[in-house]
Amino acid sequence: LILLDSLLQEMAYALYRGTRLGLALQEALGELEEYEQISPSVKSAVLRKFDETMCDKLENEVESRLTIRAERLWSFRFCDSVWQLLLKNVEFLSNTGHLVASVEGKVKIVACDARKLDDKR
């Protein structure tokens, strides 16, 4: 059970690896590993630190909140304290109501219960 909790925590943190920043980091680390400039263990350590840091910074340093407005909710799922939402034609609005971003097409949002992550840290 402890191993499963640890695995779920790692998976929750690893969500940030799918961002543009996370993908760029993985690509750069992959190249360094390919040219034997870093070891696989260093690559893993850097990615774990990235996961932890992204979670911490978003939790403690981002004060803004967004309102998400979509033309359609395609699907939603809640499993193991993780929400997955698939939306169509999405607008992200600031807390003052100003449009921050607009995305035509599908947007996938994955959200974890931060209280569950805090319990496991």
Side-chain angles (χ1 to χ4, degrees):
L1 188 60
I2 293 172
L3 180 60
L4 180 60
D5 283 345
S6 175
L7 180 61
L8 287 174
Q9 182 179 4
E10 271 190 45
M11 288 172 54
Y13 280 148
L15 291 172
Y16 302 116
R17 292 184 191 182
T19 64
R20 287 184 182 169
L21 182 60
L23 293 171
L25 176 62
Q26 289 180 80
E27 184 179 340
L29 291 171
E31 288 179 16
L32 289 171
E33 183 182 24
E34 182 181 328
Y35 294 111
E36 298 178 356
Q37 294 180 343
I38 61 171
S39 67
S41 62
V42 169
K43 177 182 174 184
S44 295
V46 170
L47 287 172
R48 274 194 307 275
K49 187 63 176 174
F50 171 77
D51 298 337
E52 292 173 13
T53 303
M54 284 293 292
C55 187
D56 180 61
K57 295 296 181 186
L58 287 172
E59 180 180 349
N60 297 316
E61 294 187 19
V62 176
E63 297 178 9
S64 299
R65 295 192 180 264
L66 290 175
T67 299
I68 301 169
R69 187 168 47 198
E71 179 181 303
R72 181 170 181 182
L73 173 63
W74 280 100
S75 69
F76 65 94
R77 179 172 45 181
F78 181 73
C79 181
D80 294 329
S81 299
V82 177
W83 278 102
Q84 291 186 16
L85 307 168
L86 189 57
L87 308 167
K88 179 183 176 189
N89 298 338
V90 181
E91 290 181 336
F92 296 91
L93 306 167
S94 70
N95 55 358
T96 60
H98 292 94
L99 183 65
V100 174
S102 180
V103 179
E104 293 204 20
K106 293 181 182 176
V107 171
K108 182 178 184 179
I109 297 176
V110 180
C112 300
D113 187 347
R115 294 170 297 202
K116 299 267 185 192
L117 293 176
D118 286 340
D119 294 342
K120 294 176 184 175
R121 284 187 198 170

